[in-house]
Amino acid sequence: MASCCVVSLLCAIFLSTAFVCDGEKPKQEVLEANCNNNINFLGSVVLLVSNLTSVQQCNLIIQSTIANNRLLIDITKLDLVDNCTDTKLDIIDDTGSSIAGPLCEEENATVFRAESNVAQFQYRTSSPNTAGKKLSVIITSFNLGINGTCASIEYQCANKLCIPKDLLCNGYNECSDNSDENDCSGPNGTPPGENVGLIVGLTFACLLVVAVAALCLIRRLRRQQGYDSV
């Protein structure tokens, strides 16, 4: 009887949590808190600045743990200084070649690609006027698929890039063309058709709960009948 109750409880827990289907949110990292560090990530990461007042130089390396992928670098906010002569941000690849830069103002904010899974960010300033400045960069691991086709665990953006499917509908534009956020009308803001497996699993779980409950009830009734006949 106890084992039946345990199984029923586990099924109930599964049913109560199965619809938590929002896309995976990227981890947020602060540039000045990671100077001279390596930031490793799987799907995507957001690089921000908090307070650059006391920072004159900062280098950090961002690397996807998917070795054969590349990096999509989408600069969504860029306001580092009033004078670009004194402050700049450079993005270079693992060979030392420039990906982008020097960057400092919003007009430089755009989308860049690293041809490997590694990018280094180099920040330099000699300006005292860095308080309140802003930077926001979405860095996403991507590939071009095999013969233009993405793997089953990936989503193909409108621009033909393949990104991890669990990044869909998470409120961040990881495709850089917003196609991963355009159609989130499924349950809990998920893409339509992305929950077929979930629905099948829930149906099976419901049937299992009913079967276990019925078995428990039958066993209980048989025991009661046995006691009554004594």
Side-chain angles (χ1 to χ4, degrees), residues 124-162:
R124 302 283 187 277
T125 186
S126 59
S127 171
N129 188 24
T130 56
K133 296 306 178 180
K134 299 177 182 179
L135 173 69
S136 178
V137 186
I138 302 175
I139 304 157
T140 305
S141 178
F142 80 95
N143 63 74
L144 299 177
I146 300 176
N147 297 323
T149 301
C150 299
S152 59
I153 60 172
E154 296 174 332
Y155 170 76
Q156 188 164 46
C157 305
N159 56 21
K160 305 304 181 183
L161 304 185
C162 302

PDB file of all heavy atoms in Angstrom, residues 124-162:
ATOM      1  N   ARG A 124      39.629  49.238 -22.516  1.00  0.00           N
ATOM      2  CA  ARG A 124      40.678  50.192 -22.118  1.00  0.00           C
ATOM      3  C   ARG A 124      40.058  51.578 -21.985  1.00  0.00           C
ATOM      4  O   ARG A 124      39.209  51.965 -22.795  1.00  0.00           O
ATOM      5  CB  ARG A 124      41.788  50.272 -23.174  1.00  0.00           C
ATOM      6  CG  ARG A 124      42.489  48.964 -23.504  1.00  0.00           C
ATOM      7  CD  ARG A 124      43.484  48.570 -22.429  1.00  0.00           C
ATOM      8  NE  ARG A 124      44.256  47.415 -22.852  1.00  0.00           N
ATOM      9  CZ  ARG A 124      43.842  46.166 -22.741  1.00  0.00           C
ATOM     10  NH1 ARG A 124      42.624  45.912 -22.271  1.00  0.00           N
ATOM     11  NH2 ARG A 124      44.606  45.151 -23.105  1.00  0.00           N
ATOM     12  N   THR A 125      40.510  52.331 -20.967  1.00  0.00           N
ATOM     13  CA  THR A 125      40.055  53.716 -20.848  1.00  0.00           C
ATOM     14  C   THR A 125      41.093  54.557 -20.109  1.00  0.00           C
ATOM     15  O   THR A 125      41.803  54.057 -19.238  1.00  0.00           O
ATOM     16  CB  THR A 125      38.709  53.808 -20.105  1.00  0.00           C
ATOM     17  OG1 THR A 125      38.252  55.157 -20.143  1.00  0.00           O
ATOM     18  CG2 THR A 125      38.837  53.368 -18.651  1.00  0.00           C
ATOM     19  N   SER A 126      41.157  55.823 -20.488  1.00  0.00           N
ATOM     20  CA  SER A 126      41.936  56.816 -19.749  1.00  0.00           C
ATOM     21  C   SER A 126      41.043  57.986 -19.367  1.00  0.00           C
ATOM     22  O   SER A 126      41.518  59.041 -18.960  1.00  0.00           O
ATOM     23  CB  SER A 126      43.118  57.316 -20.598  1.00  0.00           C
ATOM     24  OG  SER A 126      42.646  57.893 -21.810  1.00  0.00           O
ATOM     25  N   SER A 127      39.731  57.778 -19.499  1.00  0.00           N
ATOM     26  CA  SER A 127      38.754  58.836 -19.237  1.00  0.00           C
ATOM     27  C   SER A 127      38.195  58.688 -17.827  1.00  0.00           C
ATOM     28  O   SER A 127      37.862  57.578 -17.392  1.00  0.00           O
ATOM     29  CB  SER A 127      37.609  58.772 -20.246  1.00  0.00           C
ATOM     30  OG  SER A 127      36.574  59.658 -19.874  1.00  0.00           O
ATOM     31  N   PRO A 128      38.055  59.801 -17.095  1.00  0.00           N
ATOM     32  CA  PRO A 128      37.431  59.735 -15.767  1.00  0.00           C
ATOM     33  C   PRO A 128      35.905  59.679 -15.841  1.00  0.00           C
ATOM     34  O   PRO A 128      35.244  59.415 -14.843  1.00  0.00           O
ATOM     35  CB  PRO A 128      37.893  61.042 -15.114  1.00  0.00           C
ATOM     36  CG  PRO A 128      38.051  61.993 -16.261  1.00  0.00           C
ATOM     37  CD  PRO A 128      38.526  61.155 -17.426  1.00  0.00           C
ATOM     38  N   ASN A 129      35.350  59.908 -17.013  1.00  0.00           N
ATOM     39  CA  ASN A 129      33.905  60.010 -17.162  1.00  0.00           C
ATOM     40  C   ASN A 129      33.313  58.688 -17.649  1.00  0.00           C
ATOM     41  O   ASN A 129      32.849  58.570 -18.779  1.00  0.00           O
ATOM     42  CB  ASN A 129      33.565  61.141 -18.138  1.00  0.00           C
ATOM     43  CG  ASN A 129      32.070  61.419 -18.193  1.00  0.00           C
ATOM     44  OD1 ASN A 129      31.355  61.127 -17.249  1.00  0.00           O
ATOM     45  ND2 ASN A 129      31.627  61.977 -19.300  1.00  0.00           N
ATOM     46  N   THR A 130      33.353  57.681 -16.787  1.00  0.00           N
ATOM     47  CA  THR A 130      32.799  56.374 -17.156  1.00  0.00           C
ATOM     48  C   THR A 130      31.640  55.961 -16.254  1.00  0.00           C
ATOM     49  O   THR A 130      31.087  54.876 -16.425  1.00  0.00           O
ATOM     50  CB  THR A 130      33.891  55.292 -17.084  1.00  0.00           C
ATOM     51  OG1 THR A 130      34.465  55.294 -15.768  1.00  0.00           O
ATOM     52  CG2 THR A 130      34.967  55.540 -18.121  1.00  0.00           C
ATOM     53  N   ALA A 131      31.269  56.799 -15.318  1.00  0.00           N
ATOM     54  CA  ALA A 131      30.147  56.467 -14.427  1.00  0.00           C
ATOM     55  C   ALA A 131      28.837  56.426 -15.214  1.00  0.00           C
ATOM     56  O   ALA A 131      28.566  57.282 -16.049  1.00  0.00           O
ATOM     57  CB  ALA A 131      30.051  57.503 -13.305  1.00  0.00           C
ATOM     58  N   GLY A 132      28.030  55.417 -14.935  1.00  0.00           N
ATOM     59  CA  GLY A 132      26.722  55.307 -15.569  1.00  0.00           C
ATOM     60  C   GLY A 132      26.748  54.822 -17.000  1.00  0.00           C
ATOM     61  O   GLY A 132      25.712  54.834 -17.677  1.00  0.00           O
ATOM     62  N   LYS A 133      27.885  54.390 -17.485  1.00  0.00           N
ATOM     63  CA  LYS A 133      27.961  53.918 -18.871  1.00  0.00           C
ATOM     64  C   LYS A 133      27.388  52.511 -18.995  1.00  0.00           C
ATOM     65  O   LYS A 133      27.313  51.763 -18.017  1.00  0.00           O
ATOM     66  CB  LYS A 133      29.404  53.973 -19.370  1.00  0.00           C
ATOM     67  CG  LYS A 133      29.958  55.398 -19.419  1.00  0.00           C
ATOM     68  CD  LYS A 133      29.063  56.314 -20.221  1.00  0.00           C
ATOM     69  CE  LYS A 133      29.577  57.743 -20.250  1.00  0.00           C
ATOM     70  NZ  LYS A 133      28.697  58.637 -21.045  1.00  0.00           N
ATOM     71  N   LYS A 134      26.989  52.149 -20.223  1.00  0.00           N
ATOM     72  CA  LYS A 134      26.238  50.912 -20.426  1.00  0.00           C
ATOM     73  C   LYS A 134      26.871  50.027 -21.497  1.00  0.00           C
ATOM     74  O   LYS A 134      27.412  50.509 -22.485  1.00  0.00           O
ATOM     75  CB  LYS A 134      24.793  51.235 -20.822  1.00  0.00           C
ATOM     76  CG  LYS A 134      24.022  52.030 -19.777  1.00  0.00           C
ATOM     77  CD  LYS A 134      22.631  52.384 -20.273  1.00  0.00           C
ATOM     78  CE  LYS A 134      21.877  53.215 -19.252  1.00  0.00           C
ATOM     79  NZ  LYS A 134      20.518  53.592 -19.745  1.00  0.00           N
ATOM     80  N   LEU A 135      26.749  48.735 -21.264  1.00  0.00           N
ATOM     81  CA  LEU A 135      27.145  47.736 -22.261  1.00  0.00           C
ATOM     82  C   LEU A 135      26.312  46.488 -22.019  1.00  0.00           C
ATOM     83  O   LEU A 135      26.158  46.038 -20.889  1.00  0.00           O
ATOM     84  CB  LEU A 135      28.633  47.384 -22.142  1.00  0.00           C
ATOM     85  CG  LEU A 135      29.117  46.228 -23.041  1.00  0.00           C
ATOM     86  CD1 LEU A 135      29.106  46.644 -24.502  1.00  0.00           C
ATOM     87  CD2 LEU A 135      30.508  45.764 -22.628  1.00  0.00           C
ATOM     88  N   SER A 136      25.741  45.949 -23.087  1.00  0.00           N
ATOM     89  CA  SER A 136      25.018  44.687 -22.996  1.00  0.00           C
ATOM     90  C   SER A 136      25.283  43.902 -24.281  1.00  0.00           C
ATOM     91  O   SER A 136      25.039  44.397 -25.384  1.00  0.00           O
ATOM     92  CB  SER A 136      23.512  44.925 -22.829  1.00  0.00           C
ATOM     93  OG  SER A 136      22.813  43.692 -22.788  1.00  0.00           O
ATOM     94  N   VAL A 137      25.803  42.696 -24.112  1.00  0.00           N
ATOM     95  CA  VAL A 137      26.158  41.853 -25.256  1.00  0.00           C
ATOM     96  C   VAL A 137      25.572  40.459 -25.043  1.00  0.00           C
ATOM     97  O   VAL A 137      25.805  39.842 -23.990  1.00  0.00           O
ATOM     98  CB  VAL A 137      27.692  41.739 -25.423  1.00  0.00           C
ATOM     99  CG1 VAL A 137      28.029  40.981 -26.717  1.00  0.00           C
ATOM    100  CG2 VAL A 137      28.347  43.110 -25.412  1.00  0.00           C
ATOM    101  N   ILE A 138      24.803  39.981 -26.012  1.00  0.00           N
ATOM    102  CA  ILE A 138      24.309  38.600 -25.981  1.00  0.00           C
ATOM    103  C   ILE A 138      25.248  37.747 -26.834  1.00  0.00           C
ATOM    104  O   ILE A 138      25.426  38.017 -28.027  1.00  0.00           O
ATOM    105  CB  ILE A 138      22.873  38.493 -26.528  1.00  0.00           C
ATOM    106  CG1 ILE A 138      21.919  39.381 -25.735  1.00  0.00           C
ATOM    107  CG2 ILE A 138      22.392  37.040 -26.479  1.00  0.00           C
ATOM    108  CD1 ILE A 138      20.507  39.414 -26.306  1.00  0.00           C
ATOM    109  N   ILE A 139      25.849  36.742 -26.223  1.00  0.00           N
ATOM    110  CA  ILE A 139      26.794  35.871 -26.922  1.00  0.00           C
ATOM    111  C   ILE A 139      26.187  34.480 -26.982  1.00  0.00           C
ATOM    112  O   ILE A 139      25.874  33.882 -25.948  1.00  0.00           O
ATOM    113  CB  ILE A 139      28.149  35.847 -26.195  1.00  0.00           C
ATOM    114  CG1 ILE A 139      28.685  37.279 -26.063  1.00  0.00           C
ATOM    115  CG2 ILE A 139      29.148  34.969 -26.939  1.00  0.00           C
ATOM    116  CD1 ILE A 139      29.666  37.459 -24.956  1.00  0.00           C
ATOM    117  N   THR A 140      26.000  33.974 -28.188  1.00  0.00           N
ATOM    118  CA  THR A 140      25.290  32.713 -28.394  1.00  0.00           C
ATOM    119  C   THR A 140      26.163  31.730 -29.160  1.00  0.00           C
ATOM    120  O   THR A 140      26.814  32.091 -30.140  1.00  0.00           O
ATOM    121  CB  THR A 140      23.983  32.943 -29.172  1.00  0.00           C
ATOM    122  OG1 THR A 140      23.190  33.926 -28.507  1.00  0.00           O
ATOM    123  CG2 THR A 140      23.181  31.651 -29.293  1.00  0.00           C
ATOM    124  N   SER A 141      26.153  30.497 -28.713  1.00  0.00           N
ATOM    125  CA  SER A 141      26.864  29.426 -29.414  1.00  0.00           C
ATOM    126  C   SER A 141      26.002  28.948 -30.582  1.00  0.00           C
ATOM    127  O   SER A 141      24.819  28.650 -30.414  1.00  0.00           O
ATOM    128  CB  SER A 141      27.130  28.272 -28.438  1.00  0.00           C
ATOM    129  OG  SER A 141      27.779  27.207 -29.073  1.00  0.00           O
ATOM    130  N   PHE A 142      26.591  28.880 -31.779  1.00  0.00           N
ATOM    131  CA  PHE A 142      25.810  28.480 -32.957  1.00  0.00           C
ATOM    132  C   PHE A 142      26.676  27.672 -33.920  1.00  0.00           C
ATOM    133  O   PHE A 142      27.899  27.641 -33.823  1.00  0.00           O
ATOM    134  CB  PHE A 142      25.248  29.712 -33.676  1.00  0.00           C
ATOM    135  CG  PHE A 142      26.243  30.412 -34.566  1.00  0.00           C
ATOM    136  CD1 PHE A 142      26.312  30.130 -35.933  1.00  0.00           C
ATOM    137  CD2 PHE A 142      27.129  31.347 -34.049  1.00  0.00           C
ATOM    138  CE1 PHE A 142      27.234  30.766 -36.758  1.00  0.00           C
ATOM    139  CE2 PHE A 142      28.051  31.994 -34.856  1.00  0.00           C
ATOM    140  CZ  PHE A 142      28.109  31.702 -36.217  1.00  0.00           C
ATOM    141  N   ASN A 143      26.007  27.020 -34.859  1.00  0.00           N
ATOM    142  CA  ASN A 143      26.693  26.390 -35.986  1.00  0.00           C
ATOM    143  C   ASN A 143      25.805  26.521 -37.210  1.00  0.00           C
ATOM    144  O   ASN A 143      24.692  27.046 -37.132  1.00  0.00           O
ATOM    145  CB  ASN A 143      27.029  24.922 -35.685  1.00  0.00           C
ATOM    146  CG  ASN A 143      25.801  24.068 -35.467  1.00  0.00           C
ATOM    147  OD1 ASN A 143      25.078  23.734 -36.408  1.00  0.00           O
ATOM    148  ND2 ASN A 143      25.532  23.712 -34.212  1.00  0.00           N
ATOM    149  N   LEU A 144      26.300  26.057 -38.346  1.00  0.00           N
ATOM    150  CA  LEU A 144      25.559  26.180 -39.603  1.00  0.00           C
ATOM    151  C   LEU A 144      24.890  24.878 -40.015  1.00  0.00           C
ATOM    152  O   LEU A 144      24.350  24.773 -41.111  1.00  0.00           O
ATOM    153  CB  LEU A 144      26.499  26.669 -40.708  1.00  0.00           C
ATOM    154  CG  LEU A 144      27.133  28.048 -40.467  1.00  0.00           C
ATOM    155  CD1 LEU A 144      28.093  28.389 -41.596  1.00  0.00           C
ATOM    156  CD2 LEU A 144      26.071  29.125 -40.316  1.00  0.00           C
ATOM    157  N   GLY A 145      24.926  23.889 -39.116  1.00  0.00           N
ATOM    158  CA  GLY A 145      24.289  22.619 -39.408  1.00  0.00           C
ATOM    159  C   GLY A 145      25.082  21.776 -40.389  1.00  0.00           C
ATOM    160  O   GLY A 145      26.183  22.137 -40.827  1.00  0.00           O
ATOM    161  N   ILE A 146      24.516  20.661 -40.752  1.00  0.00           N
ATOM    162  CA  ILE A 146      25.110  19.757 -41.741  1.00  0.00           C
ATOM    163  C   ILE A 146      24.283  19.850 -43.016  1.00  0.00           C
ATOM    164  O   ILE A 146      23.096  19.533 -43.023  1.00  0.00           O
ATOM    165  CB  ILE A 146      25.139  18.298 -41.222  1.00  0.00           C
ATOM    166  CG1 ILE A 146      25.973  18.217 -39.938  1.00  0.00           C
ATOM    167  CG2 ILE A 146      25.701  17.360 -42.288  1.00  0.00           C
ATOM    168  CD1 ILE A 146      25.970  16.853 -39.306  1.00  0.00           C
ATOM    169  N   ASN A 147      24.913  20.324 -44.071  1.00  0.00           N
ATOM    170  CA  ASN A 147      24.208  20.575 -45.331  1.00  0.00           C
ATOM    171  C   ASN A 147      22.997  21.486 -45.115  1.00  0.00           C
ATOM    172  O   ASN A 147      21.932  21.307 -45.729  1.00  0.00           O
ATOM    173  CB  ASN A 147      23.767  19.254 -45.974  1.00  0.00           C
ATOM    174  CG  ASN A 147      24.936  18.376 -46.362  1.00  0.00           C
ATOM    175  OD1 ASN A 147      25.974  18.866 -46.797  1.00  0.00           O
ATOM    176  ND2 ASN A 147      24.778  17.069 -46.192  1.00  0.00           N
ATOM    177  N   GLY A 148      23.180  22.454 -44.226  1.00  0.00           N
ATOM    178  CA  GLY A 148      22.126  23.424 -43.976  1.00  0.00           C
ATOM    179  C   GLY A 148      21.009  22.952 -43.076  1.00  0.00           C
ATOM    180  O   GLY A 148      20.022  23.664 -42.896  1.00  0.00           O
ATOM    181  N   THR A 149      21.162  21.763 -42.486  1.00  0.00           N
ATOM    182  CA  THR A 149      20.123  21.209 -41.618  1.00  0.00           C
ATOM    183  C   THR A 149      20.619  21.151 -40.186  1.00  0.00           C
ATOM    184  O   THR A 149      21.713  20.639 -39.923  1.00  0.00           O
ATOM    185  CB  THR A 149      19.717  19.791 -42.080  1.00  0.00           C
ATOM    186  OG1 THR A 149      19.247  19.859 -43.430  1.00  0.00           O
ATOM    187  CG2 THR A 149      18.629  19.225 -41.192  1.00  0.00           C
ATOM    188  N   CYS A 150      19.812  21.664 -39.262  1.00  0.00           N
ATOM    189  CA  CYS A 150      20.185  21.662 -37.847  1.00  0.00           C
ATOM    190  C   CYS A 150      19.878  20.305 -37.217  1.00  0.00           C
ATOM    191  O   CYS A 150      19.028  19.553 -37.692  1.00  0.00           O
ATOM    192  CB  CYS A 150      19.425  22.748 -37.095  1.00  0.00           C
ATOM    193  SG  CYS A 150      19.747  24.425 -37.692  1.00  0.00           S
ATOM    194  N   ALA A 151      20.570  19.991 -36.131  1.00  0.00           N
ATOM    195  CA  ALA A 151      20.313  18.758 -35.388  1.00  0.00           C
ATOM    196  C   ALA A 151      18.958  18.834 -34.703  1.00  0.00           C
ATOM    197  O   ALA A 151      18.379  19.912 -34.540  1.00  0.00           O
ATOM    198  CB  ALA A 151      21.421  18.530 -34.366  1.00  0.00           C
ATOM    199  N   SER A 152      18.454  17.681 -34.267  1.00  0.00           N
ATOM    200  CA  SER A 152      17.119  17.629 -33.661  1.00  0.00           C
ATOM    201  C   SER A 152      17.048  18.412 -32.351  1.00  0.00           C
ATOM    202  O   SER A 152      15.972  18.851 -31.945  1.00  0.00           O
ATOM    203  CB  SER A 152      16.712  16.176 -33.418  1.00  0.00           C
ATOM    204  OG  SER A 152      17.646  15.533 -32.550  1.00  0.00           O
ATOM    205  N   ILE A 153      18.184  18.585 -31.677  1.00  0.00           N
ATOM    206  CA  ILE A 153      18.198  19.322 -30.410  1.00  0.00           C
ATOM    207  C   ILE A 153      18.461  20.810 -30.639  1.00  0.00           C
ATOM    208  O   ILE A 153      18.643  21.559 -29.684  1.00  0.00           O
ATOM    209  CB  ILE A 153      19.248  18.746 -29.446  1.00  0.00           C
ATOM    210  CG1 ILE A 153      20.648  18.823 -30.066  1.00  0.00           C
ATOM    211  CG2 ILE A 153      18.897  17.329 -29.053  1.00  0.00           C
ATOM    212  CD1 ILE A 153      21.762  18.443 -29.104  1.00  0.00           C
ATOM    213  N   GLU A 154      18.464  21.221 -31.902  1.00  0.00           N
ATOM    214  CA  GLU A 154      18.730  22.613 -32.247  1.00  0.00           C
ATOM    215  C   GLU A 154      17.534  23.250 -32.942  1.00  0.00           C
ATOM    216  O   GLU A 154      16.655  22.561 -33.464  1.00  0.00           O
ATOM    217  CB  GLU A 154      19.966  22.703 -33.157  1.00  0.00           C
ATOM    218  CG  GLU A 154      21.247  22.235 -32.506  1.00  0.00           C
ATOM    219  CD  GLU A 154      22.410  22.189 -33.475  1.00  0.00           C
ATOM    220  OE1 GLU A 154      22.167  22.003 -34.690  1.00  0.00           O
ATOM    221  OE2 GLU A 154      23.558  22.328 -33.023  1.00  0.00           O
ATOM    222  N   TYR A 155      17.543  24.565 -32.965  1.00  0.00           N
ATOM    223  CA  TYR A 155      16.530  25.336 -33.677  1.00  0.00           C
ATOM    224  C   TYR A 155      17.214  26.100 -34.803  1.00  0.00           C
ATOM    225  O   TYR A 155      18.288  26.675 -34.611  1.00  0.00           O
ATOM    226  CB  TYR A 155      15.857  26.324 -32.720  1.00  0.00           C
ATOM    227  CG  TYR A 155      14.965  27.329 -33.410  1.00  0.00           C
ATOM    228  CD1 TYR A 155      13.709  26.965 -33.876  1.00  0.00           C
ATOM    229  CD2 TYR A 155      15.389  28.646 -33.596  1.00  0.00           C
ATOM    230  CE1 TYR A 155      12.886  27.887 -34.508  1.00  0.00           C
ATOM    231  CE2 TYR A 155      14.571  29.575 -34.229  1.00  0.00           C
ATOM    232  CZ  TYR A 155      13.330  29.187 -34.685  1.00  0.00           C
ATOM    233  OH  TYR A 155      12.522  30.094 -35.316  1.00  0.00           O
ATOM    234  N   GLN A 156      16.601  26.091 -35.983  1.00  0.00           N
ATOM    235  CA  GLN A 156      17.166  26.830 -37.108  1.00  0.00           C
ATOM    236  C   GLN A 156      16.516  28.206 -37.190  1.00  0.00           C
ATOM    237  O   GLN A 156      15.313  28.342 -37.414  1.00  0.00           O
ATOM    238  CB  GLN A 156      16.970  26.090 -38.429  1.00  0.00           C
ATOM    239  CG  GLN A 156      17.712  26.756 -39.589  1.00  0.00           C
ATOM    240  CD  GLN A 156      17.848  25.838 -40.787  1.00  0.00           C
ATOM    241  OE1 GLN A 156      16.883  25.189 -41.185  1.00  0.00           O
ATOM    242  NE2 GLN A 156      19.029  25.778 -41.367  1.00  0.00           N
ATOM    243  N   CYS A 157      17.333  29.223 -36.967  1.00  0.00           N
ATOM    244  CA  CYS A 157      16.856  30.602 -37.032  1.00  0.00           C
ATOM    245  C   CYS A 157      16.478  30.957 -38.470  1.00  0.00           C
ATOM    246  O   CYS A 157      16.842  30.257 -39.420  1.00  0.00           O
ATOM    247  CB  CYS A 157      17.941  31.561 -36.554  1.00  0.00           C
ATOM    248  SG  CYS A 157      18.597  31.218 -34.904  1.00  0.00           S
ATOM    249  N   ALA A 158      15.764  32.054 -38.640  1.00  0.00           N
ATOM    250  CA  ALA A 158      15.415  32.518 -39.979  1.00  0.00           C
ATOM    251  C   ALA A 158      16.657  32.836 -40.800  1.00  0.00           C
ATOM    252  O   ALA A 158      16.648  32.722 -42.023  1.00  0.00           O
ATOM    253  CB  ALA A 158      14.507  33.740 -39.885  1.00  0.00           C
ATOM    254  N   ASN A 159      17.741  33.210 -40.121  1.00  0.00           N
ATOM    255  CA  ASN A 159      19.000  33.493 -40.819  1.00  0.00           C
ATOM    256  C   ASN A 159      19.849  32.242 -41.034  1.00  0.00           C
ATOM    257  O   ASN A 159      21.017  32.344 -41.381  1.00  0.00           O
ATOM    258  CB  ASN A 159      19.797  34.556 -40.070  1.00  0.00           C
ATOM    259  CG  ASN A 159      20.067  34.174 -38.625  1.00  0.00           C
ATOM    260  OD1 ASN A 159      20.013  32.997 -38.256  1.00  0.00           O
ATOM    261  ND2 ASN A 159      20.355  35.168 -37.798  1.00  0.00           N
ATOM    262  N   LYS A 160      19.251  31.055 -40.793  1.00  0.00           N
ATOM    263  CA  LYS A 160      19.838  29.738 -41.056  1.00  0.00           C
ATOM    264  C   LYS A 160      20.874  29.292 -40.020  1.00  0.00           C
ATOM    265  O   LYS A 160      21.514  28.258 -40.193  1.00  0.00           O
ATOM    266  CB  LYS A 160      20.473  29.660 -42.460  1.00  0.00           C
ATOM    267  CG  LYS A 160      19.524  30.019 -43.593  1.00  0.00           C
ATOM    268  CD  LYS A 160      18.278  29.157 -43.584  1.00  0.00           C
ATOM    269  CE  LYS A 160      17.340  29.499 -44.729  1.00  0.00           C
ATOM    270  NZ  LYS A 160      16.089  28.697 -44.680  1.00  0.00           N
ATOM    271  N   LEU A 161      21.038  30.051 -38.942  1.00  0.00           N
ATOM    272  CA  LEU A 161      21.942  29.628 -37.879  1.00  0.00           C
ATOM    273  C   LEU A 161      21.250  28.585 -37.002  1.00  0.00           C
ATOM    274  O   LEU A 161      20.036  28.634 -36.801  1.00  0.00           O
ATOM    275  CB  LEU A 161      22.369  30.821 -37.024  1.00  0.00           C
ATOM    276  CG  LEU A 161      23.032  31.996 -37.745  1.00  0.00           C
ATOM    277  CD1 LEU A 161      23.493  33.036 -36.733  1.00  0.00           C
ATOM    278  CD2 LEU A 161      24.192  31.531 -38.609  1.00  0.00           C
ATOM    279  N   CYS A 162      22.031  27.649 -36.473  1.00  0.00           N
ATOM    280  CA  CYS A 162      21.505  26.621 -35.578  1.00  0.00           C
ATOM    281  C   CYS A 162      21.924  26.945 -34.150  1.00  0.00           C
ATOM    282  O   CYS A 162      23.120  27.067 -33.861  1.00  0.00           O
ATOM    283  CB  CYS A 162      22.042  25.239 -35.959  1.00  0.00           C
ATOM    284  SG  CYS A 162      21.662  24.725 -37.659  1.00  0.00           S
TER     285      CYS A 162
END
